[in-house]
Amino acid sequence: MARYIFITGGVVSSLGKGLASAALGALLQARGYSVRLRKLDPYLNVDPGTMSPFEHGEVFVTDDGAETDLDLGHYERFTGVSARKTDSISSGRIYSNVLEKERRGDYLGKTIQVVPHVTNEIKDFLRIGESECDFMLCEIGGTVGDIEGLPFFEAIRQFIHERPRGECILMHLTLLPYLAASGELKTKPTQHSVKELQSIGLAPDVLVCRSEHPIPERELEKIALFCNVRKQAVVPAYDLKTIYEAPLAYHRAGLDQAVLNAFGIEPAPKPNLARWEDVMDRITNPEGEVRVAIVGKYTQLEDAYKSIAEALTHGGMANRVKVRAEWINSEIFEKEDPAPHLERFQAILVPGGFGERGTEGKIKAAQYAREKGIPYLGICLGMQMAVIEAARNLAGLSDAGSEEFDHEAGAKRFTPVVYHLKEWVQGNHVVARKLGDDKGGTMRLGAYDAALVPGSKVAEIYGSTRIEERHRHRYEVDTQFKAQLESCGLIFSGMSPDGRLPEIVEVKGHPWYIGVQFHPELKSKPFAPHPLFASFVEAAVGVSRLV
């Protein structure tokens, strides 16, 4: 059975619990253990799928079609373990499950309460797949003391006491603020955070203390004394130049050893950190630099495109170059010529998104890349913009557009080369959708196969004519325009196995111009860069050497 590590946070949010969890998972793997990571989010949304990217950052999609928190992206990138639906839960989902059971009569007429019904539902979630790994790492979102998080903390308290002693530990992240006026690091917020935990029956076994300044030995001793934690289990965590330094930095600070000591695992297997040493070597010793423009509409919050930013970094590592990504609001190009903004870049990427705002600017960016021979990668909506651009400027359909924008405006203005997807094949059955369906969880979600045209650019990049990639969309390019567009040089080089849904387009004769309906960034890892991103950056390197 798995040993459980519960990761909580205190003082403030956004301390890096997700990153610490992912790094710890990687370190345990380096010692030969198998791991699985989970996220428990206290918000009442059923999942992040309908939340604004400005509110929550990107939505990370799993192979089995779950819309999850972006922290699951960190988990996958650091451990290589594919996340599943059962690795992400929210208060909204927990309460929804409990209420569905109550409506069915599963509780036999009992009064439904937070304890035991909600906490039992949380504990049932924690037990899923517990025989499949050596360590189960469960991160609880938010901070200790949040009213929404109390059922989760209570469930964890019960869970720990129900398991045999030594099978569960608690790791708590806190902040040590620095007061410039007095030149001191203050430990009191950490003490209060631990006291809050203790008041609900939980005691940390390992404390991770985030700080922008070195933590003196006497402060570590003070924290250990007042928080009832062994000094060796008080782990300093400092700001890093890159997130991929985290496994090595946490190892140097003794995090993995502190965790294994807390479980009484002695002697512990020695870690093999060669993978992470190679990752750091590639990041810190680049042999060049390329500039990539990301033309989107959620540019005010970089977390909205977190996986894309990381996949570009991985592509740079594959080519031993630094990728300097710059975020450009596509709405600028609706008022101004894109050339002065884009001519200093070696490649252009147009990511996914929803709604019409900013799309005309994305179409102009796609046109600029096509006409100037600049490497272009269009992802999801970015592929659809490339198709609309080609339909307008190559195939003569001057009013080409997307049904999505007509639906949003409530008026028919475009010839819809992109339409609302009403049915598709998933496994052995057909999925049907109507325009008026609920928004949450109704898109084409998760991993689907695609068949690539032999001899195409993408078949060469993947080294295969059969691929599997993750999707998240409800609008699709219409195949009735396929012949017309292909006669103009826009090749449909990837299709769904049944030939009904376009998956990839590329421009014939262009050095590197590819649009994909799926999200390749979700599968990229620092030690296994996605082939599309590696090839895209390689093409950008070629442009930089021409300049």
Side-chain angles (χ1 to χ4, degrees):
M1 304 295 278
R3 293 180 170 96
Y4 281 80
I5 303 168
F6 295 104
I7 298 104
T8 61
V11 186
V12 295
S13 58
S14 302
L15 278 180
K17 289 195 304 297
L19 184 57
S21 303
L24 176 57
L27 289 173
L28 291 170
Q29 282 183 324
R31 289 180 181 266
Y33 296 109
S34 59
V35 300
R36 179 160 287 283
L37 288 95
R38 296 218 155 121
K39 181 73 184 286
L40 294 79
D41 273 308
Y43 52 69
L44 283 171
N45 304 68
V46 170
D47 60 42
T50 55
M51 295 165 75
S52 163
F54 295 123
E55 182 86 19
H56 196 74
E58 78 167 4
V59 173
F60 188 83
V61 178
T62 61
D63 279 336
D64 56 3
E67 294 176 292
T68 71
D69 185 87
L70 61 80
D71 276 332
L72 270 76
H74 285 315
Y75 302 165
E76 279 205 19
R77 282 188 284 274
F78 277 75
T79 66
V81 177
S82 291
R84 301 190 293 228
K85 283 182 179 179
T86 51
D87 293 328
S88 176
I89 200 80
S90 68
S91 287
R93 172 58 66 196
I94 292 290
Y95 282 110
S96 178
N97 290 350
V98 169
L99 293 173
E100 283 171 17
K101 289 180 180 180
E102 186 272 334
R103 294 287 82 188
R104 286 199 308 262
D106 291 7
Y107 297 120
L108 304 176
K110 287 189 173 72
T111 301
I112 309 305
Q113 297 176 289
V114 172
V115 180
H117 301 100
V118 171
T119 52
N120 282 349
E121 192 72 25
I122 294 169
K123 289 188 290 184
D124 288 345
F125 166 76
L126 293 173
R127 293 187 192 100
I128 296 169
E130 65 181 0
S131 62
E132 298 174 9
C133 57
D134 298 318
F135 288 95
M136 189 81 77
L137 286 74
C138 303
E139 178 197 346
I140 294 84
T143 56
V144 62
D146 293 347
I147 193 167
E148 301 99 329
L150 288 174
F152 287 103
F153 288 110
E154 171 58 21
I156 289 165
R157 186 194 67 76
Q158 294 175 20
F159 189 88
I160 291 171
H161 282 282
E162 289 166 7
R163 309 287 286 199
R165 189 176 294 277
E167 279 195 9
C168 304
I169 70 164
L170 188 71
M171 181 172 114
H172 190 56
L173 266 80
T174 69
L175 175 70
L176 264 64
Y178 178 78
L179 294 186
S182 60
E184 289 179 301
L185 281 170
K186 307 306 289 185
T187 64
K188 192 64 75 177
T190 293
Q191 294 175 46
H192 279 293
S193 180
V194 171
K195 188 178 282 188
E196 184 75 32
L197 258 184
Q198 291 170 335
S199 73
I200 53 178
L202 293 168
D205 299 280
V206 177
L207 268 178
V208 178
C209 300
R210 293 278 283 111
S211 173
E212 295 176 346
H213 296 265
I215 305 173
E217 202 69 19
R218 67 178 184 278
E219 300 300 334
L220 294 173
E221 291 169 358
K222 183 178 177 182
I223 292 167
L225 179 64
F226 283 97
C227 296
N228 200 31
V229 176
R230 294 178 184 275
K231 181 176 173 292
Q232 293 84 354
V234 181
V235 178
Y238 304 119
D239 292 351
L240 305 171
K241 290 179 182 173
T242 167
I243 62 171
Y244 299 115
E245 192 183 347
L248 295 177
Y250 273 122
H251 175 67
R252 287 194 299 268
L255 176 62
D256 48 332
Q257 190 61 57
V259 165
L260 294 172
N261 288 347
F263 280 113
I265 300 174
E266 295 176 4
K270 290 198 175 348
N272 178 1
L273 296 169
R275 167 188 278 184
W276 292 103
E277 287 162 355
D278 179 60
V279 164
M280 279 307 297
D281 178 57
R282 288 173 178 275
I283 287 180
T284 54
N285 299 300
E287 295 168 3
E289 180 179 294
V290 293
R291 299 170 72 91
V292 177
I294 302 177
V295 182
K297 71 174 182 179
Y298 306 123
T299 51
Q300 299 97 313
L301 182 69
E302 290 188 16
D303 272 359
Y305 299 121
K306 187 67 178 171
S307 290
I308 286 176
E310 297 309 323
L312 284 171
T313 299
H314 306 160
M317 291 160 62
N319 292 279
R320 282 202 172 269
V321 295
K322 178 180 177 60
V323 175
R324 195 173 291 283
E326 211 166 297
W327 314 85
I328 300 177
N329 191 327
S330 58
E331 290 178 270
I332 293 170
F333 301 157
E334 294 174 7
K335 307 181 190 78
E336 301 175 26
D337 178 13
H341 297 275
L342 296 176
E343 60 190 10
R344 57 199 173 89
F345 293 98
Q346 284 87 49
I348 297 166
L349 188 153
V350 174
F354 297 92
E356 187 174 5
R357 182 173 64 83
T359 53
E360 291 299 324
K362 292 179 181 181
I363 290 167
K364 286 189 177 177
Q367 181 180 1
Y368 177 87
R370 180 179 60 78
E371 292 177 349
K372 300 293 184 184
I374 303 297
Y376 175 89
L377 176 56
I379 295 174
C380 198
L381 185 67
M383 166 180 160
Q384 295 171 8
M385 296 302 96
V387 171
I388 291 171
E389 188 278 322
R392 288 181 185 179
N393 299 316
L394 295 177
L397 294 168
S398 58
D399 62 346
S402 171
E403 256 189 358
E404 179 180 6
F405 311 149
D406 279 349
H407 291 154
E408 188 178 2
K412 188 174 188 323
R413 300 163 295 156
F414 298 114
T415 296
V417 296
V418 176
Y419 70 103
H420 181 262
L421 186 58
K422 295 171 182 65
E423 66 174 48
W424 63 90
V425 176
Q426 183 175 27
N428 297 320
H429 65 283
V430 174
V431 180
R433 290 282 181 261
K434 297 191 296 294
L435 192 59
D437 285 350
D438 289 345
K439 292 285 184 270
T442 58
M443 288 183 269
R444 188 178 179 220
L445 290 166
Y448 288 86
D449 289 342
L452 309 187
V453 174
S456 62
K457 183 83 171 174
V458 285
E460 176 195 330
I461 291 167
Y462 277 99
S464 173
T465 55
R466 194 82 175 193
I467 61 169
E468 183 187 78
E469 294 283 3
R470 295 178 191 173
H471 294 66
R472 183 177 183 252
H473 60 100
R474 57 170 59 89
Y475 289 86
E476 189 87 41
V477 173
D478 196 331
T479 51
Q480 71 170 301
F481 298 96
K482 182 172 181 278
Q484 193 174 349
L485 287 164
E486 288 198 321
S487 68
C488 302
L490 187 73
I491 308 304
F492 285 61
S493 54
M495 299 289 290
S496 60
D498 62 6
R500 294 171 62 186
L501 304 176
E503 295 280 12
I504 307 174
V505 296
E506 56 187 70
V507 171
K508 192 175 183 181
H510 192 285
W512 209 104
Y513 190 103
I514 293 171
V516 296
Q517 186 58 72
F518 46 81
H519 289 269
E521 72 274 15
L522 300 178
K523 285 194 165 188
S524 189
K525 299 166 185 68
F527 43 81
H530 193 284
L532 274 177
F533 280 89
S535 178
F536 178 57
V537 173
E538 183 183 22
V541 171
V543 171
S544 72
R545 286 174 180 158
L546 292 173
V547 174

